[in-house]
Amino acid sequence: MPSGHVEREESWDNLHHSEASNEVGNGEGDYTDDEGGQAPERGSDGVFMKLLWQYRVLIAGSPDNFIQAPTLLRTVGDVQRALHPLQATADRLGKQVEQFAETLDRLGVKKHHRTQKDHQHVLPLVQRYKTIAYATVEALKKSHGAEIQEQLKETWVRKLRDTSGRSRPSLLSGHKSVDSGLKSSVEDLQRWQTEEQTWELFGLMLQVEYPELTSQTPNLERDRPRQTSAVHRYSPEQDLWRQFLAEDDVAWERHTVVEWLKRSADTPGQDVDTIVAQLEPRADRGSGLRADGWLDTKLAIKQQKRLRSWPQELVPNSPGLDISLVNSKRTKPLVTQLDPDAITRQGRSLEEPDQYSERATWLACWEMIRRGKTCDSIREWCQQRAEDWRATVMCGDPRSSAVQSKPQGDHVSTEADWQSRILWRRMCAVAARKGGTNEYENAVYGVLSGYLASVEKVCRGWDDYLFAHYNSYLLRQFDHYLHSKFTDRLPSALLQSQDISKQATDGGISFPSGPELVERMKRLGTTEQEAKQPVKTLQGSLIAKTFGDFVFRQGLMLAKSANSSTKSKTIPNMDTTAIEDSSTIPIRMQDYDLLRMITHMLFIYQDLGLDVGKGNHQWAVENIVVAYMEYLSGAGKQQLLPVYASRLSSQRSTMCLGRLLPFITDDKERKTIMQLMQKYNIDIPGVLNMQLRLIINDTPADDKNSTKYPPLKIIDSTGVDHLGGVHLVRSDFIGEDVTGDEQDLINGFCWYMLLDGHWQQSMGIGATLYKHLLRLGRLAAARKLHKDVPFSQLSLRKTKSILGRSVDISVELENSDEEADGQIDMGRSTRSRRNQSGPRRRSSSIRRARNERELLAKQSSTFRDLESLFKALDAMENWKGLANEKQNQENPRRARSWKQALSKAHDLVVEAVEPLLNGWLQYPRDDDEAAEFERIRTACLPELVLAYNSILHYDGHAITRNILLKCMDLAAVIAAEDGDLAATFVAAGRMSELVDMFAIASKSILLADEDRSKSSKNRKKGDGETLDVWTVKALSPG
């Protein structure tokens, strides 16, 4: 076994062990034990298990928190439910969801083109899914067994009373997955029973459609009989039956479906004795329906004999008998004899309680045949009630398990010999058409003979109708086989003497195909409603072998429903012309159980070679998987997403994860998901890039496609500084409004903090995000991006895998080469000095390291420049917040405190703005980016510089007059020949504003001398500059 496969086995086993040891139970939500009721074997810690365990621990903070939780959030599940809207459903079905994913992981990853030897995993996989469903059913029966028994009781009473034949879909017909919190319900039990049956059908139809699976799967018993040449006209009919199934593929398929329908009918939870016990009170004769027979009719006959003193049997034509021997309501004459054929032979009736009892008994017989009970169990049941003749009637079927259990060639002693078997079926057909006392007796004869019309009358659902048709086709096909292979087995004169319609021997020639029958049931009034339900449509597609068309149509329906009210971000809107005439009820996005079931069936079919097409057809099919992944994401099962994404096409996988990953906000969880994506060979950089592109594409078209950058609005044009007439900086010009899409953008870029390497891509994406937000005027989101993913942290995390050590490139560039190189490993440097060629090698290493840093700096320059813009804007807004507090500073102590805080804010503004005054956005990659940079500079720098000058002017009056000198320094920077700021003012048409502002600043400096002269100290700037040069003294006259 490959090591990767062993690792997955151990990982999942450890996951189960971790859950059992550390998770708090969810009561009724804990449906199954590990491994479907079996205790798992412990394995060594695998990668997958570690990642999943880390995911669970990070939610609680530590493993101990799984057991000791806060009062308000007592369990990890409580925390998860607060975070995820579908967590209650996930808690209720969490083990099953993870067990399905585990089994899928053990099968392997993205192997759509397996060789034949690889198919040996398919049937065990299906059996594992069925086992999970079975274990869940058994667990739910402990909680809801009594409820479902009560519901079934009402069903049987209604069956006996109702003769309309109209289908009544059960609660599980729609297969709705309604979130009822942690508490399970009887609907959960019904859904899981249906799922167990569907997985069984899936496995059976796989063996029919892919016969090679049976031989390729180890330890799998072969169900289909083998062909033999030993049969002849005198062979027992059970031997001929086996040969018939071995030779005819269509017959074997029909036989498989019929047997599955029998087992499905026997699973709801009530045996025949329970059904009879529920019907007995209405027969008014106590319990048992045993040897009393037609008790009320028998008493009426005896009464007539006593009144007439009649020693012989009564006969129908006795004088006055039609008037005296009547039922209690005096509406119908009663039979004169008590043999089973008396009713049909005499055309007379029974007392009403006897009629009810007779009908109930035949209903029980119908149920036994419908459930596939063995001949021995039917005979035993009839003998207990002194009704042996009924067992004799029903046990001539060659499919009886008592007959099939005998080895081929062994003679089986039955009441019917090799000739009379075929004749017996003919007699049953006649009885079904003409001789029954009620519809259930006719249905019994119809099932035994293949006479369809009598069986249809008692069908109450999709399963019953499918059983009636397939059973009829199969028996008539068998009769045709006998007639064509062994023409002399039964004399033709004997056949012609029977009143048998030609339809009984027409074989399989005129029978509808599986797809035709499934579609016909959608139009049949008695099955129309149930046949259109998604779960029945799924089962029908498995039987009709149209699963590919089914998932395609359901995928289109999902696309239609997902985009009906609002546009879905995970399932695109598609052309639904192909389903416009479809009457099938679509799968809802909330049908989580059904989505899970179809998803895993689709994977298995793909492993067996199912072609889902290309383009839109493929995307429609994959909508099923994406819808299930969206449920997993909403339910807090993000650690399972990579398993399913790996089974999608490459583009769809990237887009789906790109949509779902921004919802993950914890770094530990992000790291876990990235490790899982790496394990499943998913393109991590492609996914991270895609998620940001998709969110940007969600922007309204007018803003998204615009190449213009709106000018910044920092200056308040309506207000001026009372100290000098300078326009003030606006309050809260950035704001705090961050939309959901913008937060997703920020969360998406946070993933790049954990992505090793990919420096150039990360810097390019970051710069693109800043430009996108700037173009939309979303300054608050850009500021949050700068704070959540600062370049310094991004550089420290990424450079370790590139340079071998963590470096903040922005700081490294400011250091001298000697200081930067001094950080190289000292041990290595010491050893190199011992070698004669050490200095030369060290010099080469230094140059290479310097070149690497310079390259990283160049690749990140745009990102750093744009980040510095929002860093400066943030500093300005913070400064304005402090400046607004001046009016509240009335006492000296608070005034000093405010002045100190304002001084610190001033220093931060200066530190942030200075890098933007020279060389900002001056290193484009190409001409197009150069033009874009010019648009950005024109939109941002003039307003920024004017706001900066306003701040300097204000602080020159509020903190120290020397700050006013910086206004003149700013003017010098703009006027410098090698400067690039003046051109932006000219392009923006704001040069006049700049000149006016500097004039005001010059005037303020002149006026500041008056205050300075009153001070005993002459304060200087840090570099020795003072206001003395601006001191103007008046000359004395003369």
Side-chain angles (χ1 to χ4, degrees):
M1 182 180 294
S3 60
H5 184 77
V6 174
E7 182 180 274
R8 287 196 297 272
E9 295 275 344
E10 295 174 346
S11 301
W12 284 105
D13 288 339
N14 284 317
L15 169 62
H16 285 309
H17 174 60
S18 299
E19 289 179 339
S21 302
N22 297 285
E23 287 190 345
V24 178
N26 288 328
E28 293 182 352
D30 295 331
Y31 287 170
T32 62
D33 295 327
D34 294 309
E35 295 292 326
Q38 300 293 328
E41 296 180 1
R42 299 183 183 180
S44 59
D45 289 338
V47 174
F48 199 84
M49 158 40 201
K50 289 180 179 179
L51 301 180
L52 288 172
W53 176 242
Q54 291 170 4
Y55 164 77
R56 296 177 180 281
V57 171
L58 66 90
I59 299 297
S62 71
D64 295 337
N65 289 345
F66 281 118
I67 300 176
Q68 297 179 353
T71 303
L72 295 179
L73 299 175
R74 297 179 182 277
T75 67
V76 176
D78 293 332
V79 178
Q80 290 278 36
R81 283 188 294 278
L83 296 175
H84 303 287
L86 299 176
Q87 190 62 43
T89 303
D91 286 341
R92 197 170 73 252
L93 304 175
K95 286 183 178 294
Q96 290 78 6
V97 167
E98 291 186 353
Q99 285 172 342
F100 270 82
E102 165 196 355
T103 307
L104 175 63
D105 178 67
R106 286 180 172 175
L107 174 68
V109 180
K110 209 168 186 177
K111 295 181 178 179
H112 298 328
H113 303 286
R114 294 176 175 272
T115 61
Q116 286 191 352
K117 63 180 181 180
D118 288 325
H119 292 165
Q120 62 182 332
H121 299 285
V122 170
L123 293 182
L125 175 66
V126 176
Q127 181 60 37
R128 171 59 180 156
Y129 289 152
K130 180 189 173 185
T131 301
I132 295 172
Y134 171 79
T136 307
V137 168
E138 291 302 306
L140 285 171
K141 280 182 179 179
K142 298 176 182 178
S143 301
H144 305 291
E147 295 178 59
I148 201 167
Q149 289 284 344
E150 191 65 26
Q151 289 187 7
L152 290 172
K153 177 180 178 181
E154 296 298 324
T155 301
W156 293 118
V157 173
R158 185 173 63 246
K159 276 188 176 183
L160 198 59
R161 182 177 63 250
D162 182 22
T163 59
S164 65
R166 180 165 293 276
S167 170
R168 283 182 170 85
S170 65
L171 290 174
L172 54 85
S173 297
H175 209 85
K176 297 178 181 178
S177 295
V178 180
D179 187 1
S180 58
L182 289 177
K183 187 176 181 180
S184 61
S185 64
V186 68
E187 287 79 13
D188 290 323
L189 173 57
Q190 291 175 315
R191 281 197 301 271
W192 279 102
Q193 285 178 332
T194 303
E195 177 162 344
E196 181 190 359
Q197 296 166 7
T198 306
W199 280 116
E200 181 184 5
L201 173 64
F202 180 57
L204 293 172
M205 296 311 296
L206 285 180
Q207 295 180 64
V208 169
E209 192 171 356
Y210 304 94
E212 67 275 7
L213 291 179
T214 305
S215 58
Q216 293 175 8
T217 305
N219 304 321
L220 181 67
E221 295 183 4
R222 178 185 174 92
D223 293 331
R224 187 172 182 179
R226 300 182 184 276
Q227 295 189 35
T228 177
S229 59
V231 294
H232 48 79
R233 62 173 293 193
Y234 300 109
S235 297
E237 192 162 286
Q238 66 269 21
D239 289 354
L240 297 178
W241 175 259
R242 292 194 185 97
Q243 185 71 7
F244 165 64
L245 296 180
E247 291 180 4
D248 196 312
D249 292 337
V250 175
W252 174 247
E253 179 181 338
R254 287 172 175 163
H255 170 77
T256 300
V257 173
V258 168
E259 294 302 311
W260 170 76
L261 288 167
K262 289 178 179 179
R263 289 190 294 272
S264 297
D266 200 32
T267 56
Q270 279 192 325
D271 55 26
V272 176
D273 289 334
T274 304
I275 297 171
V276 171
Q278 293 169 355
L279 301 177
E280 282 171 349
R282 292 178 177 264
D284 194 21
R285 60 192 55 211
S287 61
L289 288 180
R290 297 182 184 272
D292 295 329
W294 300 335
L295 180 60
D296 291 82
T297 304
K298 180 179 179 180
L299 293 176
I301 294 173
K302 286 185 177 182
Q303 179 68 9
Q304 282 296 311
K305 286 185 177 183
R306 285 195 295 268
L307 292 175
R308 292 171 177 265
S309 300
W310 198 265
Q312 289 85 14
E313 294 181 353
L314 293 176
V315 293
N317 57 0
S318 298
L321 196 61
D322 289 342
I323 299 175
S324 59
L325 185 58
V326 292
N327 60 11
S328 57
K329 295 183 179 180
R330 309 194 68 79
T331 56
K332 295 179 181 179
L334 299 178
V335 296
T336 62
Q337 297 173 357
L338 299 176
D339 62 280
D341 295 328
I343 302 173
T344 56
R345 185 179 67 254
Q346 296 180 358
R348 300 171 77 91
S349 181
L350 300 175
E351 283 285 9
E352 186 173 342
D354 293 332
Q355 285 183 332
Y356 186 91
S357 175
E358 181 72 3
R359 196 160 179 263
T361 302
W362 279 115
L363 170 60
C365 293
W366 152 257
E367 281 298 324
M368 286 189 287
I369 293 180
R370 176 68 179 83
R371 296 173 180 217
K373 297 299 182 182
T374 65
C375 184
D376 288 340
S377 62
I378 293 175
R379 181 179 291 107
E380 180 183 357
W381 187 89
C382 292
Q383 286 175 347
Q384 291 174 355
R385 290 152 180 81
E387 300 279 358
D388 298 62
W389 66 273
R390 299 184 196 268
T392 302
V393 168
M394 292 185 286
C395 290
D397 194 329
R399 297 170 296 180
S400 170
S401 59
V403 172
Q404 294 188 59
S405 62
K406 297 291 183 179
Q408 185 165 329
D410 289 1
H411 178 69
V412 179
S413 177
T414 64
E415 289 105 357
D417 60 21
W418 62 273
Q419 280 190 336
S420 62
R421 275 299 175 86
I422 230 177
L423 183 59
W424 169 81
R425 284 197 295 278
R426 299 299 182 267
M427 294 302 100
C428 286
V430 173
R433 293 172 58 207
K434 299 180 178 180
T437 60
N438 58 72
E439 70 274 22
Y440 287 106
E441 181 180 2
N442 291 338
V444 169
Y445 295 139
V447 170
L448 298 174
S449 64
Y451 185 68
L452 180 61
S454 65
V455 184
E456 285 184 319
K457 293 179 180 179
V458 301
C459 294
R460 296 294 183 270
W462 187 88
D463 289 25
D464 286 347
Y465 273 90
L466 187 64
F467 170 79
H469 280 265
Y470 265 58
N471 177 78
S472 175
Y473 302 160
L474 182 61
L475 286 180
R476 286 153 60 187
Q477 188 179 355
F478 179 55
D479 285 345
H480 178 75
Y481 170 83
L482 294 178
H483 184 71
S484 60
K485 293 281 186 177
F486 307 99
T487 55
D488 53 353
R489 184 173 176 85
L490 193 64
S492 57
L494 186 58
L495 284 176
Q496 293 172 2
S497 66
Q498 308 300 322
D499 185 13
I500 306 298
S501 64
K502 183 180 182 298
Q503 187 184 17
T505 58
D506 64 358
I509 299 173
S510 63
F511 298 153
S513 63
E516 290 173 342
L517 178 59
V518 170
E519 287 302 314
R520 179 187 299 177
M521 293 171 68
K522 293 179 182 179
R523 299 187 297 270
L524 190 63
T526 52
T527 57
E528 178 181 10
Q529 183 179 356
E530 186 179 5
K532 293 178 181 179
Q533 297 292 338
V535 68
K536 289 304 178 186
T537 308
L538 169 60
Q539 293 176 350
S541 72
L542 297 176
I543 293 171
K545 302 178 184 177
T546 57
F547 182 82
D549 183 67
F550 165 77
V551 291
F552 169 65
R553 288 177 171 271
Q554 288 293 344
L556 290 179
M557 292 179 185
L558 272 176
K560 184 177 181 179
S561 62
N563 294 277
S564 58
S565 56
T566 58
K567 184 178 179 181
S568 172
K569 292 186 177 181
T570 55
I571 299 179
N573 203 0
M574 307 183 74
D575 181 11
T576 58
T577 305
I579 59 170
E580 286 181 354
D581 58 343
S582 176
S583 58
T584 301
I585 298 175
I587 300 174
R588 301 180 303 120
M589 293 288 288
Q590 294 78 24
D591 290 337
Y592 313 125
D593 295 329
L594 194 55
L595 288 172
R596 171 179 44 77
M597 189 161 43
I598 298 174
T599 293
H600 291 84
M601 288 182 180
L602 174 62
F603 292 159
I604 292 174
Y605 268 123
Q606 287 181 302
D607 290 336
L608 291 172
L610 175 67
D611 184 10
V612 297
K614 300 293 182 182
N616 288 339
H617 195 287
Q618 183 181 26
W619 275 57
V621 172
E622 291 180 338
N623 284 344
I624 303 284
V625 182
V626 173
Y628 181 60
M629 291 177 63
E630 188 172 357
Y631 156 68
L632 293 176
S633 177
K637 298 290 182 181
Q638 286 89 350
Q639 78 276 23
L640 303 181
L641 294 178
V643 181
Y644 293 92
S646 67
R647 303 300 295 249
L648 296 171
S649 58
S650 178
Q651 184 182 10
R652 193 69 188 274
S653 172
T654 301
M655 293 188 68
C656 183
L657 288 176
R659 282 298 191 189
L660 299 177
L661 292 186
F663 297 105
I664 304 174
T665 58
D666 185 272
D667 276 352
K668 291 182 180 179
E669 188 176 354
R670 286 169 176 158
K671 188 173 182 180
T672 298
I673 299 298
M674 291 179 69
Q675 290 174 330
L676 291 173
M677 287 194 290
Q678 184 178 11
K679 176 181 181 238
Y680 293 113
N681 299 319
I682 297 174
D683 181 14
I684 299 177
V687 170
L688 301 186
N689 184 28
M690 177 62 70
Q691 68 173 328
L692 298 177
R693 286 172 51 195
L694 291 173
I695 299 171
I696 290 176
N697 287 338
D698 291 337
T699 306
D702 292 342
D703 294 329
K704 177 180 64 180
N705 297 326
S706 175
T707 59
K708 298 180 179 179
Y709 288 86
L712 293 179
K713 296 181 179 180
I714 309 174
I715 301 295
D716 184 2
S717 59
T718 62
V720 295
D721 184 350
H722 69 281
L723 298 176
V726 177
H727 289 294
L728 299 174
V729 174
R730 295 168 54 213
S731 299
D732 298 323
F733 62 87
I734 296 179
E736 299 292 337
D737 180 30
V738 179
T739 66
D741 284 343
E742 291 165 356
Q743 185 60 56
D744 288 344
L745 273 178
I746 298 169
N747 292 340
F749 191 58
C750 287
W751 287 79
Y752 282 89
M753 297 274 283
L754 307 175
L755 180 64
D756 291 337
H758 297 88
W759 175 270
Q760 188 171 6
Q761 179 185 0
S762 301
M763 297 301 126
I765 291 292
T768 299
L769 295 184
Y770 275 126
K771 288 188 287 186
H772 170 72
L773 296 173
L774 183 61
R775 186 167 59 246
L776 298 180
R778 304 299 299 175
L779 303 184
R783 175 173 61 182
K784 194 170 192 310
L785 176 62
H786 144 63
K787 291 187 174 182
D788 288 357
V789 195
F791 172 80
S792 57
Q793 291 187 21
L794 197 60
S795 177
L796 289 172
R797 292 202 180 191
K798 286 187 170 296
T799 51
K800 185 172 184 179
S801 61
I802 300 173
L803 302 177
R805 59 191 179 91
S806 296
V807 174
D808 182 353
I809 294 297
S810 60
V811 175
E812 190 85 357
L813 291 174
E814 299 174 0
N815 298 331
S816 64
D817 290 343
E818 292 79 13
E819 182 180 356
D821 296 337
Q823 298 179 30
I824 299 176
D825 183 79
M826 296 304 296
R828 185 175 59 187
S829 300
T830 302
R831 289 192 300 270
S832 65
R833 284 195 297 269
R834 298 173 183 173
N835 192 292
Q836 186 176 4
S837 60
R840 190 164 51 250
R841 288 202 306 268
R842 185 167 63 254
S843 175
S844 174
S845 174
I846 291 173
R847 285 195 304 271
R848 184 170 59 254
R850 183 169 58 248
N851 291 337
E852 289 177 348
R853 293 195 300 273
E854 290 176 353
L855 177 61
L856 295 181
K858 181 179 180 180
Q859 292 173 344
S860 64
S861 62
T862 301
F863 178 81
R864 288 184 288 109
D865 283 349
L866 290 171
E867 182 188 66
S868 65
L869 170 65
F870 295 102
K871 183 178 180 181
L873 295 178
D874 181 51
M876 287 182 173
E877 188 182 73
N878 292 336
W879 173 90
K880 179 59 177 177
L882 283 172
N884 288 340
E885 297 178 5
K886 181 179 181 180
Q887 59 184 351
N888 299 323
Q889 313 300 320
E890 297 180 354
N891 64 69
R893 183 174 183 180
R894 296 184 64 183
R896 284 194 301 271
S897 177
W898 170 82
K899 189 173 182 179
Q900 292 174 356
L902 186 66
S903 178
K904 291 180 181 180
H906 167 84
D907 293 340
L908 292 177
V909 170
V910 173
E911 180 183 358
V913 171
E914 291 294 336
L916 279 69
L917 300 180
N918 187 26
W920 186 68
L921 289 182
Q922 291 292 321
Y923 302 101
R925 297 190 305 269
D926 50 40
D927 293 342
D928 290 339
E929 190 171 60
E932 183 181 29
F933 282 0
E934 283 304 315
R935 292 193 296 272
I936 297 175
R937 288 167 52 80
T938 301
C940 298
L941 287 181
E943 184 79 357
L944 182 80
V945 170
L946 293 175
Y948 180 49
N949 188 76
S950 175
I951 292 173
L952 295 177
H953 185 269
Y954 181 93
D955 289 346
H957 291 84
I959 301 175
T960 174
R961 298 294 188 265
N962 286 338
I963 294 179
L964 293 173
L965 291 175
K966 290 185 178 180
C967 295
M968 296 300 99
D969 293 342
L970 180 60
V973 171
I974 296 174
E977 294 183 0
D978 58 346
D980 48 41
L981 287 177
T984 63
F985 278 91
V986 173
R990 306 187 68 175
M991 183 60 76
S992 59
E993 294 180 55
L994 180 67
V995 172
D996 291 343
M997 185 167 287
F998 282 142
I1000 295 174
S1002 300
K1003 181 179 179 180
S1004 296
I1005 292 175
L1006 291 173
L1007 294 176
D1009 181 58
E1010 297 180 8
D1011 295 332
R1012 183 195 65 80
S1013 61
K1014 298 176 183 179
S1015 174
S1016 60
K1017 275 189 175 181
N1018 181 18
R1019 296 185 180 181
K1020 298 183 179 181
K1021 289 178 58 178
D1023 53 2
E1025 296 180 4
T1026 70
L1027 293 175
D1028 290 344
V1029 69
W1030 293 90
T1031 301
V1032 179
K1033 296 182 179 179
L1035 296 175
S1036 58

